Amino acid sequence: MTLLRHLRQCNQYRPEAFVPLLHGTSRIGLVRRDNVGELGRFGDVFRIDENGVRLIAEGDFAALSAAIDRVVEDLVARGLVPKWRNEFFAVSARWGVPPLFKLDRGALAFFGVRAYGVHLNGYRQDGGALRLWIGRRAPDKKVAPDRLDNLVAGGVGYEYGLFATLAKEAQEEAAMPAELIARAVPVGALSYRMEMGNGVRDDVLFLYDIALSADFVPRNTDGEIAAFALMDAHDVMERVRRSDDFKFNVNLVLIDFALRHGLVTPDDPEYLDLVTRLHRPLD
Amino acid sequence: MTLLRHLRQCNQYRPEAFVPLLHGTSRIGLVRRDNVGELGRFGDVFRIDENGVRLIAEGDFAALSAAIDRVVEDLVARGLVPKWRNEFFAVSARWGVPPLFKLDRGALAFFGVRAYGVHLNGYRQDGGALRLWIGRRAPDKKVAPDRLDNLVAGGVGYEYGLFATLAKEAQEEAAMPAELIARAVPVGALSYRMEMGNGVRDDVLFLYDIALSADFVPRNTDGEIAAFALMDAHDVMERVRRSDDFKFNVNLVLIDFALRHGLVTPDDPEYLDLVTRLHRPLD
């Protein structure tokens, strides 16, 4: 078994099956060709032309969000989008510019908009041994129930900045107080594009590491993580290599961690492929 | 001034100005269109066709190396390749497979073959301050004289593995003994493709970090580094941002270091571009 298969899995995407979702001169999403007709039914919101699907509704953030909400409501009613998550993500042409509208998490894949998340590697250096805190996702999670996960992870909702998201999730998922999570270090990001449901996830994950001492033990408070375990980092990577026990994108976060901490070394024949393919260009 | 400009500089490459150098079903290099005719003069070694330049000489590593040597000798005599460096690099279809032939360092750019290097970030964590050992290249270096450099760096010659190269350069450039360099940690790689001279550098740099204590002071033994200085890591990154004091590709190594150590943070508007563009796909 290889590590590279996880990168392949998270980048299963057929460009020819999608058309761009456009706003002005920017691409803001990707719509599967067989869904284009569904959006054509909303002539006051979208126009279909040879370039793709164009968002033509006018107005400010609130007006565009309301227009899109009406479309999502219809798509949910027709079974084309899974039911509302009541969690909203900001949609913009690129990271760092003001959002155009907010979109329910359940509809991200249908519109193929870029979504952002935060993942935290919590590690302990006990003498010579590097160990990682690993969570097991609750059995009732919508995505990847029972799979293994990072110490803390979450999507970036539209009201929150990156670090606010990390602090909120750290408190809820692992009972990490504000003064502890303040010591987390940003260590990069990874990106992938993966067909899922009736659309595509176009995800960017911002990555953080935190060095923890023996007196910290994570405790879940929101029911999303069933249990935590402190695992030897080499054992974690063996498990990533040999199994699909981890949530699909958590494998990528752990491969990036392993590359940065010397747990995967250049004598691995996949080394350069792993290094270069963790970062899909943000086209 | 921005950090991203260094990535742009190291990726100045016009694909339309080059044709592939082929061997069997593999691309092994890139030849500038206006140099193709020069290789056509060696009909027993190369064949020019609509796909590019094809290496047709037959034989083992020694025979191919000798055939290529004769071409290089002619190119040097005609002033198309800078004079011999008498340092040989292995040429293969990709990293980790047995080399087809060896090529003088001076001819790497003319043939546009992929070359591999090692770069070592030597850092000290003194209380809250992260500091980096920075070298100043000797004024008589062929490439980037007087520019600032990593603690240790070098190209991977054909007789040496990665770690042997690192250990050899660490001894020569910084008087680091074997037991010290053994503690260096591989932390990834970066890649760029940059037109230079009358060809292109298609480089992959393997990156290492080493944590150093206060009792280590580097001392150059081969005359390639004029002086070392211990600089605050934030000051180093300000200098990368504002000047061209560092050798062109060392800027990339330091940007990667800064991303991994939280010295550049996600609130930098260039963050995602930096993360994704340090790793050019190895096509």
Side-chain angles (χ1 to χ4, degrees):
Chain A
M1 301 286 270
T2 77
L3 295 174
L4 201 53
R5 71 194 164 92
H6 295 297
L7 276 76
R8 289 200 195 94
Q9 191 198 349
C10 288
N11 286 286
Q12 277 180 339
Y13 168 66
R14 300 162 299 158
E16 69 280 9
F18 290 80
V19 301
L21 174 62
L22 302 160
H23 179 263
T25 57
S26 303
R27 184 189 69 75
I28 58 172
L30 295 160
V31 178
R32 217 170 63 193
R33 284 185 186 279
D34 54 346
N35 288 329
V36 168
E38 297 294 336
L39 296 180
R41 296 186 298 111
F42 302 92
D44 54 334
V45 182
F46 298 107
R47 189 180 69 222
I48 318 297
D49 62 26
E50 69 283 7
N51 297 314
V53 178
R54 184 170 294 279
L55 175 62
I56 54 162
E58 294 188 349
D60 60 6
F61 178 87
L64 286 183
S65 298
I68 298 285
D69 262 9
R70 286 191 297 276
V71 175
V72 172
E73 199 159 31
D74 178 276
L75 295 172
V76 170
R78 294 159 53 85
L80 292 164
V81 159
K83 75 180 161 85
W84 289 81
R85 303 274 292 264
N86 288 314
E87 226 182 302
F88 288 90
F89 278 41
V91 177
S92 56
R94 63 175 201 280
W95 177 251
V97 303
L100 295 166
F101 58 89
K102 63 186 172 76
L103 180 65
D104 190 79
R105 186 168 191 165
L108 290 174
F110 187 92
F111 291 98
V113 299
R114 184 156 293 150
Y116 301 88
V118 292
H119 280 245
L120 177 68
N121 299 294
Y123 69 94
R124 253 167 67 176
Q125 189 82 55
D126 297 335
L130 181 65
R131 302 202 279 177
L132 281 162
W133 278 110
I134 297 294
R136 180 176 288 280
R137 296 164 66 86
D140 58 351
K141 288 281 281 185
K142 282 194 187 66
V143 176
D146 288 318
R147 296 296 171 109
L148 300 179
D149 205 336
N150 294 113
L151 174 59
V152 173
V156 179
Y158 92 98
E159 317 94 316
Y160 297 99
L162 277 186
F163 194 78
T165 302
L166 182 67
K168 179 174 84 70
E169 297 285 348
Q171 176 60 53
E172 292 172 4
E173 292 191 352
M176 297 177 79
E179 62 271 22
L180 180 57
I181 195 64
R183 293 192 352 235
V185 177
V187 291
L190 59 82
S191 44
Y192 57 87
R193 188 175 287 171
M194 182 185 191
E195 291 187 44
M196 195 174 280
N198 62 356
V200 58
R201 286 183 67 146
D202 193 28
D203 287 357
V204 171
L205 306 184
F206 289 91
L207 309 177
Y208 295 80
D209 279 4
I210 190 167
L212 295 163
S213 58
D215 58 10
F216 170 76
V217 175
R219 180 176 52 81
N220 181 255
T221 71
D222 65 359
E224 299 202 359
I225 297 290
F228 286 105
L230 186 62
M231 294 172 59
D232 180 271
H234 287 281
D235 293 343
V236 167
M237 293 315 298
E238 268 309 293
R239 198 149 169 183
V240 169
R241 205 180 277 277
R242 293 178 191 284
S243 80
D244 293 320
D245 292 345
F246 286 87
K247 185 187 166 200
F248 62 98
N249 58 6
V250 173
N251 291 295
L252 273 50
V253 176
L254 290 168
I255 290 168
D256 177 87
F257 181 87
L259 288 166
R260 288 184 292 104
H261 290 265
L263 303 171
V264 176
T265 57
D267 54 349
D268 188 313
E270 297 181 337
Y271 194 77
L272 290 180
D273 283 323
L274 294 171
V275 169
T276 52
R277 291 163 65 172
L278 278 173
H279 309 96
R280 186 190 175 86
L282 298 180
D283 58 1
Chain B
M1 301 287 272
T2 77
L3 295 174
L4 202 53
R5 72 195 164 90
H6 294 298
L7 277 77
R8 288 198 196 97
Q9 191 198 350
C10 287
N11 286 287
Q12 277 179 339
Y13 169 66
R14 299 161 300 158
E16 68 280 9
F18 289 80
V19 301
L21 174 62
L22 302 160
H23 180 263
T25 57
S26 303
R27 184 189 69 76
I28 58 172
L30 295 161
V31 178
R32 217 170 60 191
R33 285 186 185 278
D34 54 346
N35 288 328
V36 168
E38 298 295 336
L39 296 180
R41 296 187 299 111
F42 302 91
D44 54 333
V45 184
F46 298 107
R47 191 180 68 222
I48 318 297
D49 64 24
E50 70 283 8
N51 297 314
V53 178
R54 184 169 295 279
L55 175 62
I56 56 162
E58 294 189 348
D60 60 8
F61 178 87
L64 285 183
S65 299
I68 298 285
D69 263 8
R70 286 192 296 277
V71 175
V72 171
E73 199 159 30
D74 179 275
L75 294 173
V76 169
R78 294 160 53 85
L80 291 164
V81 159
K83 76 179 160 86
W84 290 80
R85 302 274 293 264
N86 288 313
E87 228 183 300
F88 288 90
F89 277 42
V91 177
S92 57
R94 62 176 201 282
W95 177 251
V97 304
L100 294 166
F101 58 89
K102 64 187 171 75
L103 180 64
D104 189 80
R105 187 169 190 165
L108 290 174
F110 186 91
F111 291 99
V113 299
R114 185 158 292 153
Y116 301 89
V118 292
H119 280 245
L120 177 68
N121 300 293
Y123 67 95
R124 253 166 69 175
Q125 189 82 56
D126 297 335
L130 181 65
R131 301 203 280 175
L132 281 162
W133 278 110
I134 298 295
R136 178 178 289 279
R137 297 164 67 85
D140 59 350
K141 288 281 281 185
K142 283 195 187 65
V143 176
D146 288 317
R147 296 296 170 108
L148 300 180
D149 206 336
N150 294 113
L151 175 58
V152 172
V156 179
Y158 92 99
E159 317 94 315
Y160 297 99
L162 277 186
F163 194 77
T165 301
L166 183 66
K168 181 174 83 69
E169 298 284 348
Q171 176 59 53
E172 293 171 2
E173 294 191 349
M176 297 177 78
E179 62 271 21
L180 180 57
I181 195 65
R183 294 190 353 232
V185 177
V187 292
L190 59 81
S191 44
Y192 57 88
R193 188 175 287 172
M194 181 182 191
E195 291 187 45
M196 196 174 280
N198 63 355
V200 59
R201 286 183 67 146
D202 193 29
D203 287 356
V204 171
L205 307 183
F206 289 90
L207 309 177
Y208 295 80
D209 279 3
I210 189 166
L212 295 163
S213 57
D215 57 11
F216 170 76
V217 175
R219 180 175 52 81
N220 181 255
T221 72
D222 65 359
E224 299 203 355
I225 296 290
F228 286 105
L230 187 61
M231 294 171 58
D232 180 90
H234 287 282
D235 294 343
V236 168
M237 293 316 297
E238 268 310 292
R239 198 148 169 185
V240 169
R241 204 180 278 276
R242 292 178 191 283
S243 81
D244 293 320
D245 293 344
F246 286 88
K247 186 188 165 201
F248 62 99
N249 58 6
V250 173
N251 291 296
L252 273 50
V253 176
L254 291 168
I255 291 167
D256 177 86
F257 181 88
L259 288 167
R260 289 184 292 102
H261 290 265
L263 302 171
V264 176
T265 56
D267 54 349
D268 188 312
E270 297 181 337
Y271 194 78
L272 290 179
D273 283 322
L274 294 171
V275 169
T276 53
R277 291 164 64 172
L278 278 173
H279 308 94
R280 185 189 176 86
L282 299 180
D283 55 3

